[in-house]
Amino acid sequence: MSAKDGQAGKPQKGITVKKDEDFSAWYTELITKAELADIRYNVKGFIVYRAWATISIKKMYAKYESELEKNGHMPLVMPTVIPERNFFMEADHVEGFAPEVFWVTEAGGEGKKLEERLALRPTSETALYYMYSMWIRSYQDLPFKRYQSCQVFRYEGSMTRPFFRAREFHWIEAHDVFATLDDAKAQVREDMETTYKMLQDEFCIPIIFFQRPEWDKFAGAVHTYAADALLDSGKVIQLPSTHLLGDNFSKPFDVKFINSEGVSEYGYITCYGPAISRIYGAMIAILGDDQGLVLPFDLAPVQVVIVPIYFKGKEQMVNGKCQEMEKVLKEETDFSVKLDDREYITPGEKFNEWEMRGVPIRVEIGPRDIKKEQVVIVTRNPRDKHFIKIDDAVEKIKEIANGYTAKLRDKHLRKFDDLIVMVETIGEAREVIESGHIACIGICSIDMRGYDCAENIEKGTGAFIRGKRVDEESISFERCISCGRPDPVTVYCAKSY
RNA sequence: AGACAGGUGGUCUAGAUUGGUAUGAUUCUUGCUUGGGGUGCAAGCGGUCGCGGGUUCAAUUCCCGCCCUGUCUACCA
């Protein structure tokens, strides 16, 4: 903000930056003005989640948890700390995560060292599988599916952003053990279905699942599959990922079972990590507009706001009608309804405030409406205005509520396809990426064999190879865009957060 | 992690080549006015000028270190 704006004397309650002009500034304003997070806590990468975000995030957790439980997962809660010797049991895992770990080294008196350092979990494989080896005895115990909702800690990224990237973040992690590799692979597919169901259907975030190249896997995994979402800034962001761990962890952690023939075997493990805080960030970034937040109906902290239009001398009458409306809505629906009867600010100010906060439905009632026995119903996105007979109001609100999320989803799903552009040269790839698109290219391989080409492509385009599409791939190329070898794999290349 | 730019009442901001504890707006509180898309007026509250050290009679201002924020690069969910 310039000095001039600061002195302009205008209220600065609303969003002043256009989303497509300066995405970062827009996002920062949204976070502060809609009271989603507070970054003034003064520890880098650790932010305060404020009420408005916390309510939506809790609803997201609830949906996700119930879906996981429907699929046979049981909940548990692990300690936040992991003893050093557990943490170091799987070599690749350690190599990947060690640089990001916060260590607890002292406790009690000043300078009193712990005998063994404790890691603040960056993820819980090494905590859980230590226990799994004690819990799992026989094939009768399998599949063994557990999840926990928790916070994890990673010392990384100077570029921290509220919700997108923090040093402490909120997620769910599911860790499942199976008797066969095929069962484990089936779990990976289930995780991907869960992701589509949650992110696309419930949160209206368009995603594509990619199998990550060999050089870009989760530390310790056989294969990694990750959902990428595209933000309006033209960059993709990695959302949930599911990992086929095979027996890479079963061996060091001794996760074994006795099969039906009485022979001891190692279990096959998968893990799935939807980072709810990041999903929330991506959701508000994708759905939000110049007015502020736009939320799926189920996730809005307030779903219907009633705004009375007061005129001098008619306050009682207007209030009476509004209270009636509130009461009926609360009786006939389970929506979160708010009557904004503050008398010290104008209706216009209320409209703007609740729109900024993403309330899906607004009901306005004033003297004019009362005379006509109607109410005014306005939806947040798209902004439609309906004049409805007061007796039909509840039905209309239910109808709008039912269709609201689906409308939002359709609007954003369509956008994804337009952003993918097929290209044949690295130069073209660079161009389309710089104009905020995803480049679809051929590369000789996503095994380590393709690593040199990948480096060349990533250097030439300034973007990253996100991997091979997991759903059906209709595009094929003649040659690798880098080395020219025939029969390449079709992959996607984009800038990432 | 690296480069650059910053940090002044709750929020935003002026002030520094000229060192002497600070400008304005907004928020908030009280009262009036107003009210169908961000009303107006009056009064009041609110600041150890990010933290620590140095230079100085005196530091918000100059110097050093640290913390935090932003933008752009390097790695992850």
Side-chain angles (χ1 to χ4, degrees):
Chain A
M1 189 186 294
S2 74
K4 237 182 181 171
D5 295 334
Q7 306 254 343
K10 288 276 181 237
Q12 303 276 301
K13 280 186 181 174
I15 309 290
T16 60
V17 183
K18 297 247 181 290
K19 186 181 177 186
D20 58 4
E21 280 173 15
D22 187 346
F23 174 77
S24 283
W26 172 84
Y27 186 75
T28 304
E29 276 207 358
L30 181 67
I31 298 292
T32 346
K33 291 185 171 172
E35 296 182 345
L36 305 178
D38 205 320
I39 56 171
R40 292 174 299 179
Y41 191 67
N42 264 14
V43 184
K44 188 185 178 62
F46 291 75
I47 59 158
V48 178
Y49 288 55
R50 303 191 67 177
W52 206 254
T54 303
I55 295 168
S56 294
I57 287 172
K58 282 175 83 170
K59 291 179 174 207
M60 293 167 84
Y61 265 114
K63 278 183 185 287
Y64 236 117
E65 287 166 355
S66 102
E67 182 65 22
L68 287 169
E69 288 181 23
K70 236 182 268 170
N71 291 333
H73 292 84
M74 305 260 273
L76 55 70
V77 178
M78 291 301 291
T80 307
V81 293
I82 301 175
E84 183 165 15
R85 83 195 106 116
N86 290 28
F87 188 74
F88 281 100
M89 283 173 112
E90 206 286 324
D92 288 338
H93 188 71
V94 173
E95 200 191 320
F97 279 104
E100 301 177 2
V101 174
F102 282 93
W103 290 102
V104 179
T105 59
E106 287 179 20
E110 183 75 20
K112 222 171 149 187
K113 295 257 183 252
L114 291 175
E115 273 180 40
E116 181 179 17
R117 295 194 294 170
L118 301 171
L120 293 185
R121 60 176 168 225
T123 175
S124 304
E125 283 75 10
T126 58
L128 279 161
Y129 305 160
Y130 177 76
M131 298 308 296
Y132 279 15
S133 72
M134 302 181 212
W135 291 338
I136 295 169
R137 309 302 304 260
S138 121
Y139 72 97
Q140 305 279 18
D141 296 324
L142 302 179
F144 189 88
K145 298 168 75 164
R146 296 290 183 273
Y147 79 90
Q148 72 166 338
S149 299
C150 66
Q151 278 133 267
V152 290
F153 305 86
R154 296 184 190 177
Y155 183 82
E156 67 176 338
S158 86
M159 250 207 71
T160 57
R161 216 85 247 280
F163 304 119
F164 283 155
R165 183 186 291 103
R167 287 179 170 178
E168 175 186 26
F169 61 92
H170 300 229
W171 80 348
I172 297 174
E173 49 182 321
H175 297 265
D176 305 343
V177 186
F178 301 91
T180 67
L181 188 58
D182 280 345
D183 289 348
K185 286 178 175 169
Q187 182 58 44
V188 167
R189 286 193 293 276
E190 181 187 288
D191 293 340
M192 291 194 270
E193 273 164 36
T194 301
T195 307
Y196 277 113
K197 203 162 171 183
M198 290 294 114
L199 293 241
Q200 285 202 345
D201 298 352
E202 297 286 347
F203 310 151
C204 307
I205 302 170
I207 51 167
I208 300 183
F209 252 103
F210 293 112
Q211 181 185 337
R212 289 283 188 251
E214 279 300 287
W215 54 86
D216 194 22
K217 290 186 305 191
F218 174 78
V222 176
H223 290 305
T224 285
Y225 304 86
D228 278 338
L230 191 99
L231 303 185
D232 289 18
S233 59
K235 292 183 182 176
V236 295
I237 184 165
Q238 177 166 332
L239 292 172
S241 49
T242 171
H243 313 283
L244 183 67
L245 302 181
D247 55 10
N248 289 357
F249 283 81
S250 321
K251 286 178 176 166
F253 284 90
D254 205 35
V255 179
K256 284 192 289 202
F257 66 96
I258 308 291
N259 69 17
S260 55
E261 271 112 53
V263 180
S264 180
E265 282 187 59
Y266 286 110
Y268 294 90
I269 305 184
T270 64
C271 63
Y272 174 54
I276 304 294
S277 45
R278 179 177 274 188
I279 295 170
Y280 179 77
M283 181 180 76
I284 62 174
I286 289 166
L287 302 184
D289 61 21
D290 292 346
Q291 266 67 50
L293 273 183
V294 175
L295 296 168
F297 189 81
D298 288 354
L299 301 186
V302 169
Q303 293 165 314
V304 182
V305 65
I306 302 167
V307 179
I309 312 297
Y310 297 126
F311 276 90
K312 208 177 158 89
K314 304 207 169 142
E315 292 92 340
Q316 285 298 323
M317 179 182 74
V318 171
N319 254 337
K321 274 286 174 218
C322 288
Q323 281 160 6
E324 243 173 70
M325 177 54 64
E326 183 190 19
K327 191 164 164 253
V328 175
L329 275 171
K330 282 184 173 167
E331 277 169 8
E332 296 193 23
T333 72
D334 53 4
F335 301 157
S336 157
V337 181
K338 162 102 187 154
L339 168 57
D340 185 357
D341 56 2
R342 290 175 295 176
E343 291 192 23
Y344 52 92
I345 57 173
T346 62
E349 206 169 339
K350 293 176 186 175
F351 298 166
N352 284 294
E353 183 179 329
W354 295 115
E355 278 172 14
M356 183 179 71
R357 287 171 169 266
V359 174
I361 299 174
R362 176 173 77 238
V363 180
E364 305 169 16
I365 303 177
R368 229 181 313 175
D369 303 311
I370 295 173
K371 192 180 274 178
K372 292 190 194 164
E373 297 186 323
Q374 66 172 26
V375 296
V376 181
I377 298 175
V378 183
T379 55
R380 172 66 178 84
N381 192 290
R383 187 147 82 190
D384 292 334
K385 204 168 199 175
H386 311 271
F387 298 86
I388 304 295
K389 284 287 161 215
I390 197 153
D391 293 336
D392 305 331
V394 174
E395 276 316 303
K396 183 69 184 175
I397 288 166
K398 281 187 190 167
E399 183 196 317
I400 293 171
N402 275 333
Y404 189 83
T405 302
K407 251 184 179 170
L408 212 52
R409 176 168 63 228
D410 293 345
K411 177 178 165 182
H412 290 278
L413 282 193
R414 243 179 280 121
K415 270 169 106 176
F416 218 143
D417 299 332
D418 310 337
L419 289 158
I420 296 170
V421 185
M422 282 176 67
V423 293
E424 305 276 354
T425 68
I426 292 177
E428 280 170 19
R430 183 185 196 89
E431 271 173 43
V432 304
I433 286 160
E434 277 177 8
S435 64
H437 295 80
I438 299 177
C440 177
I441 61 168
I443 185 170
C444 47
S445 172
I446 59 167
D447 300 341
M448 289 315 282
R449 282 177 293 152
Y451 185 67
D452 289 341
C453 286
E455 266 203 321
N456 182 35
I457 294 164
E458 292 183 351
K459 225 166 151 188
T461 56
F464 288 92
I465 292 171
R466 309 302 295 178
K468 183 174 90 176
R469 247 184 126 116
V470 173
D471 54 2
E472 205 163 314
E473 181 56 79
S474 53
I475 303 166
S476 63
F477 290 90
E478 297 280 310
R479 304 193 169 279
C480 170
I481 196 170
S482 173
C483 65
R485 268 186 283 239
D487 297 323
V489 186
T490 300
V491 295
Y492 295 77
C493 200
K495 290 201 176 187
S496 71
Y497 263 99

